Amino acid sequence: MTKFLANLKSSHSSTVLNHSHKIITFSYSSQTTQPFPPKTFFKSNTKDTTLVPHLCNHKRFDEAIHILCQQNRLKEALQILHQIDKPSASVYSTLIQSCIKNRLLQQGKKVHQHIKLSGFVPGLFILNRLLEMYAKCDSLMDSQKLFDEMHERDLCSWNVLISGYAKMGLLQEAKSLFDKMPERDNFSWTAMISGYVRHDRPNEALELFRMMKRGDNSKSNKFTVSSALAAAAAVPCMRIGKEIHGYIMRTGLDSDEVVWSALSDMYGKCGSIEEARHIFDMMADRDIVTWTAMIDRYFQDGRRKEGFDLFADLLRSGIRPNDFTFSGVLNACANQTSEELGKKVHGYMTRVGFDPYSFAASALVHMYSKCGNMVSAERVFKETPEPDLFSWTSLIAGYAQNGQPDEAIRYFELLVKSGTQPDHITFVGVLSACAHAGLVDKGLDYFHSIKEQYGFTHTADHYACIIDLLARSGQFEEAENIISKMSMKPDKFLWASLLGGCRIHGNLKLAQRAAEALFEIEPENPATYVTLANIYATAGMWSEVAKIRKTMDDRGVVKKPGLSWIAIKRDVHVFLVGDDSHPKSKEINEFLGKLSKRMKEEGFVPDTKFVLHDVEDEQKEQNLSYHSEKLAVAFGIISTPEGTPIKVFKNLRTCVDCHTAIKFISKITNRKITVRDSNRFHFFEDGHCSCRDYW
């Protein structure tokens, strides 16, 4: 107690202890910012040395309790409480409010117990505060018990308990109380409607909103209609949302920014992004939450350009983005592998400052990893004081996809040593690294540890990864053994992984089994037909290739065209196989002709085994020469100064011939060439690829 009074204000001018006179005086400067009596007297206990407050002035101790509660020093406040004979209602109210603010249930129970023992008869205000304390501390049993014991209840009493039940998801209990209420106000309706929305029961929320509107004395406020709009968005149902919009206009609630924001969110989630943007543009006072929600809607709808444009508008508006804004934009950059824009966002974040502990830092690691810049990804990771699991996983998966499986495995082991427990997605990353590197034994160890060491259940993704690893390595017997023991039905990703391994090793029998399973799961996917046809073509089974083609025609399945693109001076140039529509097609083809001649002199032999036409080898070579990635690489070389790195993206897996050819091209032209296909990044330099020809 003495320590508290001595340290209550850091600005005290003097502290005098006079042991001989058994009196302690504390003098405080006039700079004290909170009221406290200039002198406080204590009497010493004649039996021991403990200093006990002299209870001569309740006001002083009331003020001390108020100050302690403001400083969140509830333990010391409770010590003073026990020295007061008859605390006032104000003291109890302050203590209970502090317990509510800090969600301190046990301390709140002590205050309640003190009320019972002190002889103080609490009024309705104090009882409602206690109800609120129990409800907000998730002790609804105590809240219900107190409610049942109350001889007098007002609307606040009912609302507090109903709100507590609704927030905890105990909607049956909340509704039972709601139905028994002698009267209801906006808070009552909003508590129930928002409770249904929060716990994924939007239809019941909407029915309750309709019931409220039918009541003669019921009038919604901005929170009620916002909850109703959230319910319409969750269904989702544009018709109902528009009905609520009309109600808002009729009742004059359309002047509130909270309502505008809820309207915009409803239209966006119901699929009308134009209406959402219209509402957004009409809002006079848009906060960062509103901006971020609208930007994210564009990204979620695949309209990235409009999302980026709106983000640029936000920066020009003078409103500072928050971590959610940065995270959304960076994730969009990652999905579009737009590293240049991601770098600009990173630069802006650095200039204005951002919390290195936040998930925005994790989004940076993710963006750089997805864009293939592992140097920057690792640098941001190391600059993060306490990287979260998302950062660790992004880095591990990034190294796996970028042809650096050893680094992926190293960081996984560092993660384990750090004490952070990996999750299902982290294991997908490290298993992918093992698959790309052909590390069968290590991959199997990780796979079995998921269940045996960490107690997780294997997911479909884990099975797909381990089958991919085994199939790539030609260990089909082990792969079939794992499939036979699976606790779930194999999905399309597992069968596709198995089919891919069969293509590498020419396992025709197992390929047919995997293809049949895929035809049943997704008969419209052309990749299965093409891969099986490739396997037949390699085996020289041209009649089977013809059958595959006929089946595709009969089922209306169209092969997805190979598509590659490259950005030169911010302009994106797209190429299809055999594309001659580009303005520089003549120069590209001439350059490829010269390269082809030089490559053959260096020992390049075209790989024609996967060409799906039973034609002469010369024609097969010609077909391969105009694959989209070769056209894009050639265009990049002739359009940039010597030594400029080239980065090309492709929507499909790059073929073996193109992969080999680009290795030769990187050596002949002395260029670093990056190709990001549908599976991973390939970094070509001086005739070698980061994937070590294992992809």
Side-chain angles (χ1 to χ4, degrees):
M1 190 66 64
T2 304
K3 182 179 179 182
F4 155 61
L5 291 167
N7 293 300
L8 187 59
K9 292 295 171 190
S10 60
S11 58
H12 63 78
S13 60
S14 63
T15 303
V16 180
L17 274 75
N18 189 328
H19 289 281
S20 60
H21 292 87
K22 301 178 183 179
I23 292 176
I24 300 177
T25 302
F26 296 87
S27 298
Y28 291 85
S29 74
S30 60
Q31 297 176 350
T32 300
T33 58
Q34 297 183 14
F36 194 77
K39 293 183 180 180
T40 304
F41 300 98
F42 293 86
K43 289 183 178 180
S44 68
N45 190 313
T46 56
K47 295 183 180 180
D48 56 41
T49 59
T50 303
L51 297 173
V52 181
H54 176 51
L55 306 178
C56 63
N57 193 326
H58 280 283
K59 182 179 179 182
R60 294 176 180 175
F61 290 103
D62 288 0
E63 291 174 349
I65 286 175
H66 283 293
I67 292 170
L68 284 168
C69 287
Q70 289 171 1
Q71 298 175 349
N72 295 326
R73 296 164 66 182
L74 195 59
K75 182 178 180 182
E76 292 157 285
L78 289 174
Q79 289 176 352
I80 293 179
L81 175 67
H82 288 292
Q83 304 303 321
I84 304 175
D85 288 336
K86 295 181 178 179
S88 66
S90 174
V91 166
Y92 283 130
S93 177
T94 299
L95 288 166
I96 297 167
Q97 186 60 34
S98 183
C99 294
I100 293 171
K101 176 185 174 184
N102 298 288
R103 301 297 191 265
L104 298 173
L105 176 61
Q106 294 307 315
Q107 288 83 342
K109 285 186 173 182
K110 289 179 181 178
V111 176
H112 191 184
Q113 183 67 16
H114 193 279
I115 290 173
K116 291 178 179 178
L117 297 176
S118 68
F120 175 82
V121 180
L124 191 55
F125 178 80
I126 295 295
L127 289 172
N128 282 341
R129 277 268 167 112
L130 285 168
L131 273 177
E132 183 184 5
M133 184 272 296
Y134 284 125
K136 289 191 174 178
C137 290
D138 299 334
S139 183
L140 290 174
M141 187 179 295
D142 289 309
S143 195
Q144 181 69 61
K145 181 182 178 184
L146 177 59
F147 181 84
D148 292 338
E149 292 172 352
M150 290 170 63
H151 299 295
E152 181 187 359
R153 306 178 189 121
D154 62 4
L155 185 58
C156 178
S157 314
W158 289 89
N159 282 342
V160 166
L161 193 56
I162 288 169
S163 178
Y165 276 127
K167 287 178 180 177
M168 289 286 287
L170 300 170
L171 297 172
Q172 185 175 345
E173 290 84 350
K175 186 62 165 57
S176 177
L177 278 170
F178 181 82
D179 291 339
K180 295 174 184 176
M181 291 183 76
E183 60 175 324
R184 303 183 184 110
D185 63 1
N186 286 331
F187 186 93
S188 318
W189 290 98
T190 305
M192 282 304 307
I193 292 169
S194 62
Y196 280 125
V197 173
R198 187 182 297 110
H199 297 284
D200 299 323
R201 293 166 67 174
N203 289 310
E204 288 157 287
L206 291 170
E207 180 57 38
L208 205 58
F209 180 69
R210 294 188 193 98
M211 186 191 305
M212 183 206 70
K213 287 197 299 178
R214 288 195 293 267
D216 295 333
N217 300 320
S218 297
K219 185 178 179 181
S220 303
N221 62 13
K222 60 183 180 181
F223 302 110
T224 320
V225 294
S226 295
S227 295
L229 287 168
V235 172
C237 182
M238 176 82 74
R239 179 184 57 79
I240 296 174
K242 285 190 173 183
E243 287 177 6
I244 299 170
H245 189 177
Y247 174 80
I248 289 167
M249 300 296 288
R250 292 193 302 274
T251 53
L253 289 168
D254 56 319
S255 61
D256 193 276
E257 296 298 319
V258 172
V259 176
W260 282 114
S261 181
L263 272 170
S264 180
D265 187 60
M266 181 276 294
Y267 279 118
K269 289 180 178 176
C270 288
S272 180
I273 199 164
E274 284 76 18
E275 288 277 6
R277 180 61 186 268
H278 175 69
I279 297 292
F280 175 85
D281 289 339
M282 290 176 65
M283 295 174 68
D285 186 20
R286 295 174 294 212
D287 60 13
I288 187 55
V289 175
T290 306
W291 278 95
T292 302
M294 191 67 231
I295 292 168
D296 283 345
R297 284 186 202 106
Y298 278 124
F299 291 145
Q300 290 166 9
D301 202 46
R303 296 162 66 167
R304 297 186 181 93
K305 183 182 184 302
E306 289 156 294
F308 290 134
D309 287 345
L310 190 59
F311 177 68
D313 291 342
L314 166 63
L315 299 185
R316 286 190 289 269
S317 74
I319 298 175
R320 182 171 171 172
N322 62 17
D323 290 337
F324 291 98
T325 323
F326 289 135
S327 180
V329 174
L330 288 170
N331 285 333
C333 292
N335 293 335
Q336 202 175 8
T337 56
S338 179
E339 185 182 354
E340 286 305 310
L341 183 56
K343 282 181 177 178
K344 290 179 181 178
V345 176
H346 187 187
Y348 177 85
M349 292 168 64
T350 303
R351 288 194 302 275
V352 302
F354 70 99
D355 184 1
Y357 290 88
S358 73
F359 47 84
S362 304
L364 274 171
V365 177
H366 177 65
M367 183 275 294
Y368 280 121
S369 297
K370 290 282 283 185
C371 291
N373 187 343
M374 295 311 299
V375 173
S376 294
E378 185 176 42
R379 185 179 68 249
V380 174
F381 179 86
K382 288 182 175 179
E383 290 172 354
T384 305
E386 295 178 8
D388 60 12
L389 182 59
F390 182 68
S391 296
W392 282 98
T393 301
S394 294
L395 201 67
I396 291 165
Y399 276 124
Q401 283 201 330
N402 284 278
Q404 296 175 265
D406 294 338
E407 284 298 291
I409 292 168
R410 183 173 75 87
Y411 269 99
F412 180 82
E413 297 296 341
L414 288 172
L415 164 66
V416 173
K417 289 178 183 177
S418 74
T420 303
Q421 181 164 294
D423 66 3
H424 295 90
I425 302 172
T426 317
F427 276 108
V428 171
V430 74
L431 287 172
S432 296
C434 293
H436 288 310
L439 302 174
V440 176
D441 291 338
K442 185 170 281 292
L444 285 169
D445 287 342
Y446 286 138
F447 177 76
H448 293 306
S449 73
I450 292 171
K451 190 173 183 178
E452 296 170 3
Q453 183 177 341
Y454 293 94
F456 296 149
T457 301
H458 286 125
T459 67
D461 289 333
H462 297 154
Y463 281 115
C465 285
I466 199 65
I467 296 304
D468 185 37
L469 168 61
L470 294 169
R472 284 172 183 269
S473 304
Q475 298 194 27
F476 295 108
E477 186 176 340
E478 178 68 19
E480 288 188 278
N481 183 47
I482 288 178
I483 292 172
S484 67
K485 295 179 180 177
M486 283 177 62
S487 57
M488 64 186 72
K489 189 176 180 180
D491 66 2
K492 61 183 180 181
F493 300 107
L494 183 147
W495 289 119
S497 296
L498 187 63
L499 184 60
C502 292
R503 180 192 58 79
I504 295 170
H505 297 282
N507 189 328
L508 185 58
K509 183 178 179 181
L510 195 54
Q512 290 171 328
R513 178 188 170 194
E516 286 301 322
L518 287 167
F519 289 148
E520 185 177 335
I521 296 171
E522 46 175 8
E524 73 287 349
N525 188 351
T528 306
Y529 300 89
V530 173
T531 304
L532 185 59
N534 278 329
I535 296 172
Y536 284 138
T538 304
M541 301 170 65
W542 298 107
S543 61
E544 295 299 322
V545 173
K547 288 179 183 178
I548 292 289
R549 283 186 181 160
K550 186 176 184 306
T551 302
M552 291 179 70
D553 290 338
D554 293 342
R555 295 179 180 178
V557 178
V558 180
K559 180 182 180 297
K560 191 176 182 180
L563 193 73
S564 296
W565 61 96
I566 183 172
I568 303 292
K569 294 181 180 179
R570 297 186 181 180
D571 290 328
V572 177
H573 300 261
V574 182
F575 297 89
L576 291 165
V577 60
D579 197 347
D580 60 359
S581 62
H582 194 276
K584 289 194 175 182
S585 285
K586 184 178 179 181
E587 294 97 317
I588 293 170
N589 291 332
E590 287 177 356
F591 180 70
L592 279 175
K594 293 176 183 177
L595 269 181
S596 180
K597 184 178 179 181
R598 179 75 184 278
M599 287 160 58
K600 287 183 178 180
E601 290 173 357
E602 295 284 338
F604 171 69
V605 178
D607 190 333
T608 61
K609 64 183 179 181
F610 290 126
V611 178
L612 296 185
H613 297 276
D614 187 13
V615 295
E616 298 298 325
D617 286 345
E618 185 177 349
Q619 181 63 44
K620 289 182 181 180
E621 290 181 26
Q622 188 175 356
N623 292 344
L624 292 169
S625 298
Y626 300 103
H627 276 190
S628 62
E629 57 264 58
K630 287 179 183 172
L631 296 174
V633 167
F635 173 70
I637 293 172
I638 66 174
S639 303
T640 56
E642 289 187 13
T644 304
I646 303 296
K647 181 177 282 190
V648 170
F649 297 89
K650 185 175 181 180
N651 65 331
L652 303 177
R653 182 183 184 275
T654 191
C655 74
V656 175
D657 180 77
C658 286
H659 188 271
T660 305
I662 296 172
K663 287 197 296 182
F664 276 86
I665 293 171
S666 70
K667 184 175 182 180
I668 292 168
T669 61
N670 194 27
R671 298 281 190 122
K672 293 181 180 179
I673 302 173
T674 302
V675 176
R676 173 66 164 95
D677 69 6
S678 59
N679 286 349
R680 62 181 298 167
F681 280 94
H682 297 268
F683 296 96
F684 300 93
E685 185 177 9
D686 194 30
H688 300 283
C689 180
S690 59
C691 75
R692 307 169 193 174
D693 299 335
Y694 195 88
W695 84 99

